[in-house]
Amino acid sequence: MNKIINSKWFILAAYILLLLAIFLVGFVFLQNNKTLNNVLTSFFHVAENRTFDYRQFIKIVHKQPVPNKDILILAIDDASLEYLWDKYGEWPIPRDVYADVVNYIEKDKPQAVIFDLLFIKSIRAEKNADKLLTDTLNKYNNTYVGMNFDNLASDVRLPAGLPERLSVELVNHSDIDLKKKYEFANCRTILPELLNGNVNIGLTNVIRSGDGIIRKVAPLAVYKDKYYPYLSFLAGSKYVADSDIKSYTINQHRIMKVNDTEIPLTKEGEAILNWYGISGTHSVYPMYKLIRDMENPSRNIRMNFKDKIVIIGTTATALHDTKSVPVQEGVYPGVEVHATFFNNMLDNNFIKQSGVVANVLIIISVIVLTVLIVAYSASTVFAVLSTMLFILGYLFISYYVMDIFNLWIPVVMPAMFVIGAFAFTYIAKYLIKSRDFEYQYKLATIDGLTELYNHRYFQDMLRQQIELSKRYEQPFSLIIIDIDLFKNFNDTYGHQAGDAVLRQVAQTLKRNSRTTDYVCRYGGEEMSIILPNTSAEEALFNANRLNKAVAEGDFQVNSNETSKVTISVGVSTYPDNGETSEALIEYADKCLYYAKEHGRNQVGKI
């Protein structure tokens, strides 16, 4: 019993190792086939991104995580846009309005005032309004404005030089290379009084995934071999560190630390955002209400900006600052992307993606578990249902791992390997069962010593052949063979030599019989052959041929000695000599005894 168990475990382990070997060979092949590798990588990348979106969606439905109440979006929404158009008669509005807004907000001592707006040079802007804006923004140390990098050709716009104060240092101990994806050739500059002033300036650049959805934001970008921070990353760093930071470090695990906040980065240097809900989840205050508050300071109801992080930007659909994001409605204004990044920094709440080693271990684990599930399932239905429940369970695990640990583990690749492992193991299990069936069938039908069919099989086939011959009115014949003086071999050379002779005679009979004949061990040193669709004349011919083949052979009785062997043979034919198995065996036996009584080594006739 232990041998059987060990054998099955060995076979199972062998199939698991074979499956893993196929995986490794496939991996190496894909690495060498760039076209196929790119296609599959793109497919799995897009599919995996979708699973991320679904997990984020479920988290949002469960109200996890909760947005920080200190973040406030001062929104130029649809109502505010219409109000400002009516009030100022144009868009963009005069920039001195923003100066008044900043001064009004700063009275409440906010933590930060962040503009997701580009204050670029404009022939429509009034110089006095620009000066009031720049003077106001430079007056406070907690104001932030945006700037944008691009790759516009240098013959269209000459790449501008930027003040040294805007760049930061980066100490990179990881394999991240920001230049591969986040190096830009040109810059859309803002007002020089802002560039050369005291206001904090960060980037508004984001790069969408291949499907057009923003899931990740790079904290830093490269321009003229220098590093520049993302707008909300710059503001968030100052907030969590309570001071200006001019140098950042990425450790060997792709983690960028700002005080106690850890920002895990992808190989491209991007932070994966942890979303908080549909558009409007963060606290929003319309700009038109603020303008009314400013015009009517005696109003009893007004927004208090004390200790708030105020992010000012457009949310009006007419202004087209919308981004596709992985939330329920799928669209965010850019200002809410900044709010999400800032919120992630405050809560230390970014998503980390599992690494290559972890992914390989996950895949190996699901393969092994799937193999075990299928191997020990009592039925196909149970195996299918168990595998489906396993996949479903893994999906729940992947969600809770992201929900609890903010860890993005792969779903698509493991699911594909579960399906592949199921199919492979099911086939392997079928082959094992087939082999076991063949082995059991062999034990039930094959004689262990001679490797001929055994007596039970002989009796079954004889009855079956009688039925077939009756139905189709065809003759068949039976040959019974006995080794002459077999007892002498045992007495002279020993029983092992007798067994060896018996095996050799059996194989001689098998080699000299037709493939359609059934060569069987009848018992002791007697053997029998059923010859389907064979007349008496043909059977006698075959019997004599077998008799001659044995008589002319040399049979090894031990390692140094051979001996001659002869046989006596009896033949019967259906229906001439009987119509039952007993009658046919009895007639063949009589012929066999006749041969023995008349000198042996012949085919007997009566």
Side-chain angles (χ1 to χ4, degrees):
M1 185 66 181
N2 288 334
K3 289 184 178 179
I4 295 174
I5 293 173
N6 291 334
S7 175
K8 288 186 176 181
W9 272 103
F10 175 79
I11 293 170
L12 183 61
Y15 276 114
I16 292 174
L17 291 174
L18 179 60
L19 187 58
L20 293 176
I22 291 173
F23 161 68
L24 290 175
V25 170
F27 178 78
V28 172
F29 173 76
L30 288 177
Q31 293 299 310
N32 295 325
N33 191 322
K34 291 185 177 180
T35 301
L36 183 59
N37 185 29
N38 290 337
V39 171
L40 290 178
T41 300
S42 177
F43 165 76
F44 283 113
H45 182 71
V46 171
E48 191 61 46
N49 280 341
R50 293 301 184 187
T51 70
F52 172 83
D53 298 349
Y54 292 133
R55 280 175 273 184
Q56 286 289 303
F57 169 72
I58 295 172
K59 287 181 68 175
I60 290 168
V61 169
H62 292 164
K63 308 293 185 185
Q64 294 290 338
V66 178
N68 194 297
K69 294 180 180 179
D70 289 335
I71 297 176
L72 174 66
I73 295 174
L74 185 56
I76 304 172
D77 57 6
D78 291 308
S80 297
L81 182 61
E82 185 172 344
Y83 176 85
L84 294 171
W85 257 329
D86 290 341
K87 183 173 180 62
Y88 299 104
E90 63 177 351
W91 180 262
I93 61 175
R95 287 174 174 171
D96 56 344
V97 177
Y98 294 119
D100 295 338
V101 166
V102 172
N103 286 322
Y104 181 77
I105 294 172
E106 289 287 354
K107 290 178 183 179
D108 290 339
K109 304 297 182 183
Q111 291 285 346
V113 179
I114 305 167
F115 279 92
D116 181 28
L117 298 171
L118 297 180
F119 295 119
I120 61 174
K121 290 181 180 180
S122 173
I123 58 173
R124 297 178 59 186
E126 297 180 3
K127 290 183 178 181
N128 291 336
D130 279 353
K131 186 175 188 311
L132 184 58
L133 172 66
T134 56
D135 288 347
T136 301
L137 291 175
N138 287 324
K139 181 170 62 174
Y140 302 101
N141 65 359
N142 65 341
T143 55
Y144 298 80
V145 296
M147 183 175 65
N148 195 52
F149 287 155
D150 57 36
N151 289 306
L152 193 65
S154 58
D155 58 348
V156 177
R157 184 207 305 141
L158 192 65
L162 296 176
E164 188 67 28
R165 76 179 187 91
L166 301 184
S167 65
V168 296
E169 293 182 0
L170 177 64
V171 180
N172 186 4
H173 298 294
S174 71
D175 58 352
I176 293 172
D177 184 2
L178 281 169
K179 291 185 177 181
K180 285 185 176 180
K181 189 173 181 180
Y182 285 94
E183 183 174 28
F184 297 92
N186 214 323
C187 172
R188 191 178 186 188
T189 57
I190 58 177
L191 295 170
E193 292 81 6
L194 295 176
L195 286 174
N196 299 304
N198 297 318
V199 68
N200 300 285
I201 301 175
L203 305 176
T204 59
N205 292 82
V206 290
I207 296 179
R208 294 172 171 82
S209 299
D211 55 2
I213 295 176
I214 294 173
R215 299 179 182 89
K216 308 168 187 175
V217 172
L220 299 173
V222 182
Y223 177 66
K224 292 191 174 182
D225 293 322
K226 293 184 178 181
Y227 297 95
Y228 295 87
Y230 183 61
L231 179 61
S232 47
F233 172 64
L234 176 65
S237 296
K238 186 173 181 179
Y239 182 89
V240 299
D242 198 23
S243 64
D244 292 325
I245 298 179
K246 298 299 292 182
S247 179
Y248 297 92
T249 300
I250 303 175
N251 67 21
Q252 65 270 28
H253 302 296
R254 301 180 191 159
I255 303 293
M256 181 186 289
K257 290 195 68 174
V258 181
N259 205 10
D260 293 330
T261 296
E262 292 188 352
I263 306 176
L265 303 175
T266 66
K267 196 171 184 179
E268 292 78 22
E270 299 167 312
I272 305 172
L273 299 182
N274 203 354
W275 302 89
Y276 293 87
I278 62 174
S279 180
T281 297
H282 285 93
S283 298
V284 177
Y285 196 66
M287 179 69 83
Y288 80 89
K289 288 187 178 181
L290 179 67
I291 300 296
R292 287 180 177 177
D293 292 340
M294 292 166 56
E295 293 174 343
N296 301 283
S298 61
R299 290 181 63 191
N300 294 326
I301 301 174
R302 65 178 292 272
M303 173 60 68
N304 187 349
F305 296 98
K306 182 174 175 56
D307 294 328
K308 298 289 187 183
I309 297 102
V310 183
I311 307 177
I312 304 171
T314 61
T315 64
T317 55
L319 297 179
H320 305 293
D321 185 25
T322 56
K323 320 288 183 184
S324 296
V325 294
V327 296
Q328 186 175 1
E329 294 179 356
V331 177
Y332 256 30
V335 65
E336 292 197 66
V337 176
H338 286 290
T340 301
F341 192 103
F342 199 110
N343 206 152
N344 283 178
M345 288 199 69
L346 265 61
D347 297 345
N348 203 2
N349 204 32
F350 289 97
I351 298 294
K352 182 179 181 181
Q353 199 162 13
S354 56
V356 174
V357 174
N359 292 346
V360 171
L361 290 175
I362 288 171
I363 289 172
I364 291 174
S365 299
V366 299
I367 288 174
V368 171
L369 289 172
T370 303
V371 169
L372 292 174
I373 288 170
V374 177
Y376 289 98
S377 294
S379 66
T380 302
V381 173
F382 183 79
V384 171
L385 291 176
S386 298
T387 304
M388 291 175 64
L389 287 174
F390 176 55
I391 293 176
L392 186 61
Y394 181 80
L395 293 177
F396 276 107
I397 290 171
S398 71
Y399 162 70
Y400 282 109
V401 166
M402 182 174 287
D403 184 36
I404 298 170
F405 303 105
N406 288 341
L407 181 62
W408 178 0
I409 61 173
V411 166
V412 178
M413 186 76 77
M416 296 293 287
F417 272 98
V418 167
I419 295 170
F422 173 86
F424 184 88
T425 308
Y426 191 79
I427 293 171
K429 186 177 180 180
Y430 174 79
L431 293 175
I432 291 172
K433 281 188 173 181
S434 298
R435 196 192 68 168
D436 287 345
F437 176 78
E438 290 174 2
Y439 179 70
Q440 295 297 330
Y441 182 77
K442 184 176 180 180
L443 287 178
T445 60
I446 301 298
D447 176 65
L449 176 64
T450 61
E451 295 185 354
L452 302 179
Y453 291 116
N454 60 23
H455 183 79
R456 179 180 177 181
Y457 186 83
F458 163 74
Q459 292 289 354
D460 290 341
M461 291 308 300
L462 186 60
R463 285 191 289 270
Q464 188 179 113
Q465 196 61 50
I466 290 171
E467 294 299 321
L468 288 173
S469 294
K470 282 182 180 178
R471 181 181 304 172
Y472 298 108
E473 297 182 352
Q474 294 287 342
F476 81 92
S477 296
L478 170 66
I479 297 176
I480 294 182
I481 300 158
D482 185 73
I483 299 175
D484 295 331
L485 303 174
F486 182 72
K487 185 175 181 301
N488 293 346
F489 286 99
N490 290 328
D491 294 341
T492 305
Y493 301 105
H495 287 282
Q496 289 185 342
D499 289 346
V501 168
L502 192 60
R503 280 194 297 270
Q504 293 172 71
V505 171
Q507 293 306 310
T508 301
L509 296 175
K510 197 170 183 178
R511 284 195 304 271
N512 288 275
S513 297
R514 301 172 302 184
T515 56
T516 55
D517 296 340
Y518 299 95
V519 185
C520 310
R521 184 181 181 187
Y522 189 77
E525 67 271 21
E526 286 188 315
M527 283 160 273
S528 58
I529 305 174
I530 299 172
L531 297 86
N533 197 24
T534 303
S535 64
E537 184 179 354
E538 292 171 327
L540 286 171
F541 176 80
N542 285 326
N544 281 294
R545 184 167 53 81
L546 293 171
N547 187 77
K548 183 179 179 183
V550 173
E552 292 178 350
D554 293 316
F555 297 88
Q556 202 81 31
V557 292
N558 56 48
S559 58
N560 301 315
E561 193 173 356
T562 61
S563 177
K564 290 292 185 179
V565 177
T566 61
I567 56 175
S568 296
V569 183
V571 180
S572 62
T573 301
Y574 174 91
D576 301 343
N577 307 126
E579 296 185 0
T580 65
S581 57
E582 292 81 1
L584 291 170
I585 292 171
E586 182 181 358
Y587 187 86
D589 269 340
K590 287 180 179 180
C591 292
L592 173 64
Y593 293 142
Y594 181 89
K596 283 187 172 294
E597 290 172 357
H598 290 79
R600 302 183 181 86
N601 190 23
Q602 60 182 285
V603 178
K605 297 180 183 179
I606 57 174

